[in-house]
Amino acid sequence: MADTLAWHRTDWVEVNSQDGLHRSRTQLLVGIHRADWGRVSLTVKLYRRTYTRADGVWRERTPGISHGHAGGRSEDVEIVRDTGEVYQRPGFQSPVGVVRSEGIAFIRALEIDDGKYVVRIPEGTETSWVVQGEQDVRVTVPLPPHRIAITIEDSAPASAAPPLPEWPDDPYPSLW
């Protein structure tokens, strides 16, 4: 069981597509958790809401996993030490779910050592989704460079992890 120490979040930021017909609103969240054995981990979330402009009015698109993914690169999020060195580049994977009030959620979790860090969406990262209609259209919008500064203290080293329990003998041995 992990204890949640803190949640940090950026403000929602809107960015329009180049054609001006689509809009993305995104927010970055970072949760800091401590495992029972003392190791600190981060949960990095990116929430995205999408809108389409029709007849001069912005209408929110119903969130759905079919709307795409957060960027197409593995560097969708960076964890940077206060020295400027990139500590990790954990890429967001496909959307993990829809949170009605927040939109589509992209989540990544990782363990982290003591230090001062900036969790950021780097310049040039994009988000994309598919607008379904007569012809499916892929919309790509740049992600704003969200940034959250955090300090990690007293994180147990990864080597201090308790051993995994022994797997019991297979009650269903292979018949091959």
Side-chain angles (χ1 to χ4, degrees), residues 36-112:
D36 290 341
W37 57 278
R39 183 76 169 154
V40 174
S41 64
L42 300 181
T43 300
V44 182
K45 295 183 181 183
L46 178 71
Y47 285 122
R48 184 191 72 204
R49 299 177 86 155
T50 57
Y51 302 83
T52 300
R53 191 165 140 179
D55 302 323
V57 178
W58 288 103
R59 291 191 173 83
E60 186 169 5
R61 307 260 331 147
T62 303
I65 297 302
S66 63
H67 280 188
H69 59 287
R73 305 183 332 201
S74 62
E75 308 91 27
D76 293 338
V77 65
E78 290 180 334
I79 314 297
V80 181
R81 292 183 188 271
D82 61 349
T83 61
E85 167 196 2
V86 176
Y87 177 72
Q88 287 192 37
R89 285 189 174 105
F92 288 116
Q93 298 167 348
S94 295
V96 294
V98 177
V99 178
R100 190 98 171 113
S101 62
E102 306 293 346
I104 293 178
F106 303 90
I107 300 176
R108 190 60 188 220
L110 58 126
E111 293 181 349
I112 194 162

